[in-house]
Amino acid sequence: MELRQLEIFRAIAEERHFGRAARRLFLAQPSVSQQLQRLEAEVGVRLVHRSSRRVWLTDAGEAFLREVERVFADVDRAVRVARQVAAAGAGALRVATNYPGSRLLILPLLERLRREEPHPGLLLREMGTPDQLAALARGDLDVGLVYGPIEHPDLAARHLLDVPVVATVRAGHALAGQATVSYGEIAGQRYITGYQGGGTRIEEVLLAEAARHGVRLTPARGLSDLSSYLLELEVADAIGFSSAIRGEQHRASGMHVLRLTPTEPSLEIHVAWHRRGDEPSVNTLVEQLTELAAEARRGA
């Protein structure tokens, strides 16, 4: 299986038209059809239905498209990392972030740094909070954006932002038509939380807030790895819980996102670094992130 075949499949899925997909990729239409046939033969299932009037994905094709998007995201990330390593050299700051931190703080930070010359290079990666804390303590990271509060003898931290927790359900779920959901409504529902990025913190704040309303929640199967999180929501009659930022990503994948009422659990985003590190570049980065967090709060 080649990336070009996946690129052709994605173009067909997005254009819903073989001719437009071919023009978009500067290919002849018969070539697009042939590559799709080869891909379906390799996968072993039909991915696309085609009639004289329209083109649409099979259920297997919809699931395959979600995985293909992850493949291209991984490829893009690999290219960025390689370029960062080549450009930054030994003086780069090693920075990790959870998903909300990357969207709310790291992306604006990169825009700011592009306008500043010179600036220290950043080696960026997305990691879960437990892994970040361990790497910071070992000295394998310089700065991390994690869920807090942080209690570690070797690490310093600063509270930057709060992000609400939201509920996510599949399209066919009984709650899919609602914009909000109360704790009473989810009392009898099983739930799933994603592991990467949130660790157990999402579950901790969710259960604590539910308990304030006299509700006990039942996990479906403990914590889910994010690689199978959406798939589990598709096949299980369960509710997923994630940060609101991650929820918007799920909404783009066809899921329904609900706000919790009457009160929302929230996740604290902290910037953390090793206490022994008093490097000017680390301190500067912490202050820049603090300024960006203040701007984000004012714009919320």
Side-chain angles (χ1 to χ4, degrees), residues 195-242:
Y195 175 76
Q196 184 184 0
T200 61
R201 191 59 186 154
I202 292 176
E203 186 172 41
E204 289 172 0
V205 299
L206 170 68
L207 295 182
E209 195 66 26
R212 289 183 56 220
H213 296 276
V215 172
R216 295 185 63 181
L217 303 180
T218 303
R221 282 187 299 276
L223 295 173
S224 166
D225 183 87
L226 282 178
S227 62
S228 61
Y229 178 81
L230 294 183
L231 182 59
E232 288 188 25
L233 289 183
E234 288 281 6
V235 301
D237 191 23
I239 304 177
F241 292 97
S242 67

Side-chain angles (χ1 to χ4, degrees), residues 64-112:
F64 188 68
L65 178 62
R66 288 192 289 272
E67 299 305 319
V68 166
E69 294 292 359
R70 291 193 180 98
V71 169
F72 280 107
D74 288 341
V75 170
D76 290 342
R77 187 179 303 112
V79 171
R80 289 197 304 271
V81 169
R83 289 173 176 171
Q84 288 168 354
V85 171
L93 288 176
R94 301 160 300 172
V95 179
T97 178
N98 55 27
Y99 186 80
S102 70
R103 295 303 181 267
L104 295 173
L105 297 171
I106 294 299
L107 292 182
L109 173 67
L110 294 176
E111 284 299 319
R112 173 181 290 192

Side-chain angles (χ1 to χ4, degrees), residues 274-289:
H274 203 288
R275 292 185 186 276
R276 68 166 177 259
D278 194 24
E279 300 178 13
S281 56
V282 170
N283 295 335
T284 297
L285 180 58
V286 169
E287 292 306 321
Q288 288 174 322
L289 291 169

Side-chain angles (χ1 to χ4, degrees), residues 127-136 138 141 195-196:
M127 293 174 65
T129 292
D131 292 337
Q132 283 196 57
L133 296 179
L136 286 166
R138 291 193 307 267
L141 280 178
Y195 175 76
Q196 184 184 0

